[in-house]
Amino acid sequence: MDEKDIELFNDSIERCSAQPEFLTRFYTLFLASSDAVARKFERTDLRRQARMLKTSLYIMMLASEQTERIAHLSRLARLHSRSGLDISPELYDLWLDRLLQAVREFDPKFDAEIETAWRRLLLPGIDFMKSRY
Ligand code: HEM
């Protein structure tokens, strides 16, 4: 993975998550994106879930390296798979889209280069999670 992308992604996460509303804003957008998503989180403590998002983003960053992917994402992929939380692959596209919307709103330096860095860092992990559905 390109060092420049990692730096852009990492700095952007820091700028966003310096504002506590960033994490809750993402969940507000994500839950509103589809009834299927809202149903999945009906019994979830969203404050706890929002706190976990930042950690998830770092896990995804590590998992962007092919050699690290299985080690970092196997458990999470199994948890989200058909036999677990049953998260169908198209819901990951909503996850990414609403996440980028939240980043766009909260990162004062957001631009096309930063958006590309987020996509490059997150897509390998997302594709892995989908492939293990
Ligand atoms: C690549 C994207 C995603 C990442 C990195 C991610 C990460 C996580 C993590 C770290 C947890 C907590 C696991 C634990 O408790 O050990 C979790 C739980 C969960 N995720 Fe995801 N997730 C992703 C995509 C999705 C999508 C697309 C959905 C669709 C609705 C979803 C729904 C859930 C639900 C329902 C839970 C359980 C919440 C609860 O404990 O009540 N996730 N996810």
Side-chain angles (χ1 to χ4, degrees):
M1 191 55 60
D2 186 330
E3 282 299 320
K4 175 84 177 151
D5 279 340
I6 294 178
E7 196 182 318
L8 286 170
F9 177 76
N10 204 59
D11 291 351
S12 178
I13 292 178
E14 291 303 325
R15 286 191 297 273
C16 290
S17 52
Q19 308 161 77
E21 314 80 52
F22 165 67
L23 300 172
T24 45
R25 177 64 177 152
F26 162 67
Y27 278 100
T28 302
L29 290 168
F30 187 39
L31 263 71
S33 70
S34 119
D35 286 346
V37 172
R39 274 197 303 276
K40 291 291 177 192
F41 288 109
E42 255 165 10
R43 283 180 291 277
T44 300
D45 174 353
L46 284 175
R47 270 191 319 180
R48 180 174 167 273
Q49 191 73 16
R51 278 200 303 273
M52 219 137 47
L53 177 65
K54 193 176 170 193
T55 314
S56 297
L57 295 176
Y58 286 115
I59 294 172
M60 297 291 275
M61 183 171 86
L62 296 171
S64 68
E65 298 288 352
Q66 210 221 322
T67 51
E68 301 290 318
R69 204 160 300 140
I70 292 182
H72 290 290
L73 283 187
S74 293
R75 190 195 72 89
L76 207 54
R78 198 173 332 110
L79 181 76
H80 287 71
S81 72
R82 196 182 269 110
S83 57
L85 293 166
D86 191 18
I87 305 302
S88 57
E90 72 275 8
L91 298 185
Y92 289 92
D93 300 333
L94 291 173
W95 185 91
L96 179 61
D97 184 78
R98 297 316 189 268
L99 180 61
L100 285 172
Q101 188 175 331
V103 176
R104 199 172 297 124
E105 289 176 20
F106 279 81
D107 182 354
K109 296 193 175 169
F110 190 83
D111 63 11
E113 200 185 17
I114 291 174
E115 174 160 0
T116 304
W118 276 77
R119 288 186 188 281
R120 284 210 191 111
L121 265 289
L122 294 174
L123 276 175
I126 289 178
D127 286 345
F128 179 85
M129 301 273 282
K130 286 180 175 179
S131 75
R132 295 268 171 125
Y133 176 61

